[in-house]
Structures are given as C-alpha cells and as structure tokens.
C-alpha cells in the first residue's frame, strides 16, 4: 500500500542535532513510488543523516517518518522494507559472490531452489553471470559494488538507499555505473534514494534532485528545473558554473545589472526590487564590440577540449564564459545575453557569496578532493 497520492516515504518536520550542532533543521520531504531521488549537497549539509533516518540507523530528534502511510520512527532497520548500499560495501569477505547475495534469503528460510533462482536473476541484472564462486576479495571495486547492489535488491525492498556508493570508483567506471544504476532502477521499479556531492552524477541519474545546505532543503525539482531555474544563489552556484550578479528589477521583464538594462522573462517582483541574477557561462555570446551589451577585459583563457573557459573582467566583476571562440588574455571583448538566458532570483542569505570568479582557481583547489562524509 502507498499513500493515496503515490507517496512512498514522507518526512515531516524532521530535525537532528549531534553534540549541540544542528544537522537537520525541520525538513519536509516526499518521495514517491518508483522515483530515483538524489540528495545532493556539500559535506555537512545533512544528506547522509537524512538517508540514515529513513533507513532507521539514526533517530530524529523531532518530526515524523512515514513509509507507505504508516509512521515508522520506532521501527528498527531490519523491519523496514528498505535496504541500504553503504559507501563501503560491507560485503562478507569469507563468503563468495553467490553466498553474499543469498545471505538475506537464507535468513528468511527460503528453499535452495528459490534462492538459486533469485540469485541467478540478480547476477544477470548486475552483469555478474559466471561470478558465483568468485571470492568477493578478488573482485574489482565496480564488481564489489554490483554484488552489494544485488544483495540489497534480491530481498525485493520497496526502497533502496545508496550512500555515495560510487565515490571510490575511477571516473570512467563511475560513469558506467551511473548508467547501470539508472537502468536497474527502471527495470525493478524500486524507489532509489541516492546520496552524492557530485552535481553531474545527480543531474544525469535522477528523476528528482533534493539540494541541501546547512541542514535545510534549498530546492526540490527535476534536474532540468534545478539547473535552469535555481531558487537562490547557493543552488545556482552548486549546480554547475554560474555568474551571479546583483541586479534591480525596475519593472516586469526588465532587469538592470552591470550598468545595463536587459530584457528577461521574469516577473512578479516589486518595482525596483534588488535581486540576484544568474547567467550560465555557456549562455553568453561573444560579439563584436559595436554589438555588445557589455564589454570587458579577458584575464585568462583555459582550453577545455571542445570549448574555451574564459574569465573576463566586467566592471571589476570576473565573469566566466564558455565559448568555442578563441580570444587571448588582455583582449577587450563584447558579450551579449539573450532574455531567456537570464534567470532572476529573490535575494537570500547566500546573496553576495557566490558567482564572481576572482578566486576561481582557489575555489577549484579547495573543492577538487572533497572528503568522504562519514557523519553529518
């Protein structure tokens, strides 16, 4: 049974603190049957704690957790129809591949024939046919992950929780496993709840993305909605690259920033309201100076293979542009921005914090090797 509205899991007003530090601050979340939902955010945002509360490994200090319409706050993990794939796959090293997958079924006292059929089906699903007798310690990281997924899915849970399961894999295998996970989710119809700090991973895999920061949910939406219509400066900055400048909305469909008035597609702001303006680097066109809306000096150019990453100083604000046009540091260039490429947002606590690429290289050094989340 699901809720009448198709909701499988519901969190209401959930809060959690550790040692006096607020990790989750009164969050509400609905996850529907057969969704692939990703909890996305930086280390410490609360996403892993949210996952563990859903799984029953952590108790909420406040609020309620519902599964199929029934409150499960006091239900232990083993009694929830939810399985978990941990960051460290937690396989049994003394058991082979077959017995690792069969472990939960044996606890249920299933017949050998039924176990054999189910394990065989799972091995085929995760592309490990013929690996039945292989020691799990002899497997690659990607193969171990497949065994962990098969072991979790063989019990036919209604929901599968995945706590950064791809973080230990190399880049190519990680992309391959992203595709496989999504295909497995579609084939099984099981609700997947996936935790990651990787924006590309979230956008490529998910039906719904839940962006979190500072213990609160900032925005929930499809990958396209999150990318194209960020709700505030944090989301705009965290999901891909963004130029975020301060602007004024003198009236509907007109926004002023960087000393120029632009046509836009946003309305509903107060006259002359101060706003945040987002323009994605790939949405900026380099044009001849006599056709330019804005002009600036190029401070750096980085070749990225199929485009150039260009940093240009416009009125002491460093913009990022992604373009196939070749320019050189020191050039004065003109840019143009189409109305539909301008996203206007309400000011928030994150305003004036992100979006200027003056310190871009420093930011990249800091973010290039994020530490794994053990507890948030």
């Amino acid at each position: 049974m699901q809720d009448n509205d198709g909701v499988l899991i519901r969190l209401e007003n959930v809060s959690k603190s550790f040692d006096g530090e607020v990790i989750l601050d009164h969050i509400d979340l609905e996850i529907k049957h057969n969704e692939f939902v990703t909890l996305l955010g930086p280390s410490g945002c609360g996403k892993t704690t949210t996952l563990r509360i859903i799984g029953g490994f952590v108790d909420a200090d406040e609020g309620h957790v519902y599964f199929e319409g029934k409150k499960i706050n006091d239900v232990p993990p083993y009694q929830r129809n939810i399985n978990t794939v941990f960051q460290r796959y937690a396989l049994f090293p003394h058991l082979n591949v077959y017995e690792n997958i069969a472990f939960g079924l044996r606890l249920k006292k299933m017949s050998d024939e039924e176990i054999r059929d189910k394990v065989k089906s799972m091995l085929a699903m995760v592309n490990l046919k013929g690996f039945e007798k292989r020691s799990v310690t002899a497997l690659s990281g990607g193969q171990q992950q497949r065994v962990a997924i098969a072991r979790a899915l063989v019990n036919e849970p209604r929901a599968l929780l995945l706590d950064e399961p791809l973080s230990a894999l190399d880049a190519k295998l990680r992309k391959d496993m992203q595709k496989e996970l999504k295909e497995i989710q579609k084939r099984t119809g099981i609700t997947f709840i996936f935790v990651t700090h990787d924006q590309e991973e979230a956008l490529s895999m998910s039906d719904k993305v839940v962006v979190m920061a500072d213990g609160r949910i900032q925005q929930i939406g499809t990958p396209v909605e999150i990318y194209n219509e960020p709700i505030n400066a944090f989301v705009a900055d965290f999901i891909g690259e963004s130029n975020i400048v301060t602007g004024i909305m003198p009236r509907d469909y007109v926004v002023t920033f960087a000393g120029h008035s632009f046509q836009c597609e946003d309305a509903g702001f107060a006259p002359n309201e101060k706003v945040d303006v987002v323009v994605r680097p790939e949405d900026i066109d380099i044009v001849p100076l006599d056709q330019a809306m804005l002009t600036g000096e190029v401070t750096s150019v980085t070749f990225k293979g199929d485009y150039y990453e260009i940093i240009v100083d416009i009125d002491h604000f460093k913009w990022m542009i992604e373009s196939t046009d070749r320019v050189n540091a020191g050039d004065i260039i003109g840019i143009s921005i189409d109305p539909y490429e301008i996203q206007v947002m309400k000011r928030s606590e994150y305003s004036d914090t992100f979006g200027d690429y003056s310190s871009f290289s420093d930011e990249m050094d800091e973010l290039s090797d994020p530490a794994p989340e053990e507890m948030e």
Side-chain angles (χ1 to χ4, degrees):
M1 286 287 295
Q2 307 166 65
D3 280 7
N4 292 333
D5 53 4
V7 174
L8 181 68
I9 297 167
R10 189 192 310 270
L11 305 185
E12 290 184 357
N13 201 35
V14 169
S15 295
K16 182 65 182 179
S17 297
F18 291 108
D19 299 325
E21 181 183 356
V22 176
I23 303 300
L24 289 179
D25 187 6
H26 299 94
I27 69 166
D28 296 301
L29 177 63
E30 291 184 350
I31 297 170
K32 294 188 176 182
H33 175 71
N34 199 23
E35 276 191 316
F36 195 123
V37 177
T38 296
L39 307 181
L40 173 67
S43 294
C45 71
K47 57 188 185 292
T48 293
T49 299
T50 302
L51 195 79
R52 290 174 174 173
I53 286 173
I54 292 171
F57 304 105
V58 171
D59 293 329
D61 295 336
E62 297 180 53
H64 307 295
V65 182
Y66 296 93
F67 187 85
E68 296 181 320
K70 296 180 180 179
K71 185 178 171 182
I72 59 169
N73 289 55
D74 299 325
V75 177
Y78 66 89
Q79 290 183 0
R80 301 187 184 195
N81 199 359
I82 300 170
N83 276 359
T84 304
V85 176
F86 296 99
Q87 193 172 17
R88 297 179 181 87
Y89 309 131
L91 300 175
F92 301 116
H94 61 290
L95 300 180
N96 62 22
V97 169
Y98 183 98
E99 291 300 332
N100 262 278
I101 298 172
F103 184 81
L105 302 179
R106 295 200 186 285
L107 291 179
K108 293 181 176 180
K109 310 295 185 184
M110 287 189 178
S111 69
D112 288 344
E113 182 178 1
E114 191 172 5
I115 290 173
R116 187 166 55 250
D117 289 345
K118 285 181 174 290
V119 172
K120 182 179 178 181
S121 174
M122 281 296 118
L123 286 167
M125 179 174 290
V126 298
N127 296 318
L128 285 177
K129 288 176 68 175
F131 282 74
E132 291 89 335
K133 296 181 180 180
R134 192 79 61 91
S135 168
V136 293
T137 59
L139 301 179
S140 68
Q143 290 166 340
Q144 288 182 353
Q145 188 211 47
R146 288 185 176 93
V147 175
I149 292 167
R151 186 179 65 182
L153 291 176
V154 76
N155 289 300
E156 300 177 352
R158 296 298 302 276
L160 183 66
L161 312 182
L162 300 111
D163 186 8
E164 300 220 38
L166 309 185
S167 59
L169 306 181
D170 64 58
K172 184 179 185 306
L173 183 55
R174 189 167 182 152
K175 286 187 178 296
D176 291 342
M177 286 307 303
Q178 288 171 13
K179 294 177 182 176
E180 286 196 31
L181 275 177
K182 184 59 182 172
E183 289 171 3
I184 289 170
Q185 190 270 331
K186 285 183 177 178
R187 288 202 300 270
T188 62
I190 293 171
T191 297
F192 277 29
I193 307 172
F194 189 93
V195 161
T196 186
H197 59 260
D198 188 308
Q199 304 94 318
E200 182 182 347
E201 198 163 82
L203 295 177
S204 65
M205 298 173 69
S206 313
D207 299 318
K208 184 163 73 181
V209 179
V210 180
V211 184
M212 301 183 67
D214 302 318
R216 299 188 300 276
I217 293 173
Q218 302 295 319
Q219 187 171 359
I220 301 173
T222 67
V224 172
E225 289 168 346
I226 294 288
Y227 188 83
N228 289 335
E229 299 177 16
I231 198 167
N232 61 29
F234 174 84
V235 176
D237 179 78
F238 195 77
I239 307 295
E241 303 294 347
S242 296
N243 300 287
I244 308 173
V245 298
T246 301
I248 299 289
M249 287 287 287
R251 59 185 182 278
D252 288 350
Y253 309 114
V254 175
V255 62
T256 300
F257 59 89
H260 186 94
S261 289
F262 294 81
Q263 296 295 314
C264 66
E265 297 189 346
D266 294 277
F269 295 85
N272 295 313
E273 181 174 344
K274 193 175 182 180
V275 294
D276 288 337
V277 180
V278 179
V279 183
R280 297 287 186 182
E282 68 271 20
D283 295 332
I284 300 173
D285 297 319
I286 297 176
V287 298
L289 292 175
D290 60 357
Q291 299 175 24
M293 295 174 168
L294 300 173
T295 60
E297 180 180 354
V298 175
T299 61
S300 71
V301 180
T302 305
F303 180 58
K304 290 291 190 176
D306 54 350
Y307 68 92
Y308 295 98
E309 184 180 87
I310 302 160
I311 305 298
V312 57
D313 189 317
I314 300 174
D315 196 22
H316 305 296
F317 187 97
K318 298 277 194 313
W319 288 65
M320 177 186 283
I321 302 171
E322 294 175 358
S323 175
T324 56
D325 295 335
R326 181 74 170 96
V327 298
N328 298 300
D331 287 353
I332 303 298
I333 64 170
I335 68 170
S336 178
I337 309 169
D338 290 328
Y340 58 86
E341 307 293 11
I342 296 171
Q343 174 70 30
V344 180
M345 307 179 301
K346 290 278 189 181
R347 299 276 289 175
S348 73
E349 63 186 292
Y350 301 103
S351 298
D352 306 318
T353 306
F354 305 105
D356 182 346
Y357 286 91
S358 298
S359 58
F360 182 57
S361 60
D362 295 336
E363 290 175 8
M364 288 302 99
D365 290 342
E366 181 181 334
L367 296 175
S368 60
D369 188 22
E373 290 182 82
E374 292 299 326
M375 176 61 73
E376 296 176 295

